[in-house]
């Protein structure tokens, strides 16, 4: 039976006008070309070439056959072009959800790097909390999610997860800015802005319970960016992630210090299933992973 390799040898021989020329075009040996052409002649059951001087001339039957072969190769080239378009654009649509603490820091950098390579892809960013992102990924409303909290999560696949340190963000003029680190349990609770959500880290949970018991003058929020903004305006110190801290330091008049306690939180990239992700989604995930890895030592 005829095969694609035989047809390639036939096409190259007609184009080059000789076996040696076809061998150069295909980057194979002359005997290999001769063998492929002979096998094709046995399949079609009519001669394809006749000798003319040092070259070959196509028979009338071969010229008629070549029209169909050429049309087939045009179709193959079109398939290759389509495959390349799919490989590099991956459908042109990508949506992902991100927790508020990362939307003003890591995510803009990741999107910029992604679009430097995939400028033709439409990217939609949704800012939600972790439960909402998980639900949207499960409902296939989002391709990817960047979340934090307790893992594993039911129904979604974790592409990557890592632990990062909470840091102490404060005005540059704050007395604690002279310290090399900050003891969480020596803080005046009325001088702190912190989360009021449930945190999985035991040390921070103890601190938050103490904070909840002292209602006078406390400032808390579910939003880490809001915590940082309140710290800037009130002169208090804030317990935040390193991304938020670095963003606020770039804005000026703020600095950060590590805690003596091991206060860590988990960030993960999730999807409904990696096997169903587009190439573009996988490439964005790789960029986000790299951003996370570059922030494992925040101070």
């Amino acid at each position: 039976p005829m095969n694609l390799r035989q047809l390639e040898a036939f096409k190259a021989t007609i184009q080059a006008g000789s076996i040696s020329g076809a061998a150069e075009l295909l980057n194979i040996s002359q005997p290999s070309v001769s063998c492929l052409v002979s096998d094709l002649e046995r399949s079609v059951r009519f001669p394809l070439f006749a000798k003319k001087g040092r070259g070959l001339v196509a028979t009338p039957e071969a010229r008629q056959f070549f029209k169909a072969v050429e049309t087939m190769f045009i179709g193959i080239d079109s398939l290759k072009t389509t495959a390349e378009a799919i490989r590099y654009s991956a459908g042109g649509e990508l949506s992902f959800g991100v927790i508020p603490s990362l939307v003003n820091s890591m995510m803009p950098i990741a999107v910029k790097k992604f679009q430097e390579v995939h400028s033709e892809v439409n990217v939609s960013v949704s800012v939600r909390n972790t439960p909402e992102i998980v639900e949207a990924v499960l409902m296939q409303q989002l391709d990817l999610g960047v979340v934090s909290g307790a893992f594993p999560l039911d129904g979604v696949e974790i592409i990557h997860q890592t632990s990062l340190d909470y840091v102490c963000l404060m005005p540059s003029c704050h007395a604690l800015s002279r310290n090399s680190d900050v003891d969480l349990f020596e803080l005046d609770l009325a001088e702190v802005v912190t989360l009021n959500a449930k945190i999985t880290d035991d040390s921070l949970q103890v601190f938050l319970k103490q904070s909840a018991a002292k209602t006078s003058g406390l400032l808390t929020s579910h939003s880490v960016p809001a915590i940082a903004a309140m710290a800037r305006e009130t002169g208090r110190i804030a317990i935040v992630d390193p991304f938020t801290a670095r963003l606020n330091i770039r804005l000026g008049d703020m600095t950060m210090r590590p805690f003596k306690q091991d206060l860590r939180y988990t960030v993960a990239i999730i999807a409904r299933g990696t096997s169903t992700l587009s190439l573009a989604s996988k490439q964005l995930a790789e960029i986000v992973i790299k951003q996370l890895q570059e922030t494992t030592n925040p101070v």
Side-chain angles (χ1 to χ4, degrees):
M2 72 178 70
N3 57 51
L4 184 61
R5 198 60 176 156
Q6 293 169 1
L7 295 173
E8 286 176 336
F10 167 64
K11 178 172 175 281
T13 303
I14 284 188
Q15 290 173 333
S18 67
I19 295 293
S20 60
E24 289 182 10
L25 286 175
L26 298 175
N27 198 27
I28 60 176
S29 67
Q30 293 184 39
S32 295
V33 175
S34 295
C35 183
L36 288 168
V37 171
S38 296
D39 289 342
L40 181 60
E41 284 182 324
R42 283 190 289 271
S43 295
V44 299
R45 297 182 182 179
F46 53 77
L48 297 171
F49 297 99
K51 289 185 179 181
K52 184 177 182 181
R54 294 184 178 181
L56 296 175
V57 61
T59 64
E61 294 80 8
R63 289 194 295 272
Q64 184 178 350
F65 183 59
F66 179 69
K67 293 178 182 179
V69 171
E70 198 169 32
T71 300
M72 183 201 72
F73 275 102
I74 291 172
I76 290 175
D77 289 341
S78 177
L79 289 174
K80 289 179 180 178
T81 301
T82 301
E84 287 180 359
I86 292 172
R87 183 165 65 250
Y88 291 112
S89 69
E93 299 287 342
L94 193 159
S95 62
F96 68 96
V98 58
I99 50 178
S101 60
L102 302 181
V103 73
N104 291 321
S105 51
M106 185 188 72
M107 274 301 108
I109 298 172
V111 170
K112 177 185 176 183
K113 290 183 177 180
F114 175 79
Q115 289 217 305
E116 285 174 354
V117 181
H118 296 285
S119 59
E120 76 289 348
V121 177
N122 297 326
V123 179
S124 174
V125 181
S126 179
V127 184
R128 309 183 189 184
N129 60 35
T130 291
E132 291 172 338
I133 292 173
V134 172
E135 183 180 359
V137 169
L138 285 171
M139 297 293 291
Q140 295 183 295
Q141 296 170 349
L142 295 173
D143 298 309
L144 292 171
V146 185
V147 298
S148 65
F151 302 96
L153 298 167
D154 292 336
V156 298
E157 186 173 339
I158 296 175
I159 298 174
H160 175 82
Q161 79 177 54
T162 188
S163 293
L164 300 173
D165 291 314
Y166 279 105
V167 296
C168 185
L169 177 70
M170 67 191 81
S172 301
C173 60
H174 197 284
L176 290 178
S177 66
R178 296 189 291 269
N179 294 7
S180 59
D181 55 23
V182 176
D183 189 332
L184 185 68
F185 296 103
E186 291 182 359
L187 295 178
D188 182 347
L189 302 183
E191 293 298 318
V192 175
V193 190
T194 187
L195 292 164
N196 57 21
K198 182 179 179 181
I199 305 298
T200 57
D201 181 271
D202 291 338
S203 298
L204 194 51
Q205 274 188 20
V206 171
F207 179 75
L208 293 177
K209 287 178 181 177
Q210 291 179 357
S211 299
K214 182 180 174 68
T215 57
S216 177
L218 284 176
L219 284 177
T220 63
S221 175
H222 287 281
S223 166
V224 178
I227 290 170
M230 286 191 288
R232 176 181 292 276
E233 291 301 320
T234 63
R236 298 187 181 197
I237 64 174
I239 301 171
V240 298
D241 63 87
F243 298 108
T244 301
R246 285 175 171 171
L247 176 64
N248 277 267
I249 289 170
R250 286 198 298 270
L251 294 175
D253 300 324
M254 300 290 280
T255 188
M256 66 177 171
R257 296 291 182 269
F259 284 107
K260 287 184 178 180
Q261 287 77 18
D262 184 23
L263 301 178
R264 298 182 67 79
Y265 72 105
T266 302
V267 175
I269 304 169
I270 63 170
R272 197 166 187 268
T274 52
S275 61
T276 58
L277 280 178
S278 67
L279 289 175
S281 296
K282 291 178 181 178
Q283 288 161 1
L284 176 61
E286 290 172 1
I287 292 172
V288 175
I289 289 170
K290 187 175 180 181
Q291 290 292 112
L292 289 172
Q293 290 171 338
E294 290 176 354
T295 318
T296 54
N297 186 19
V299 182

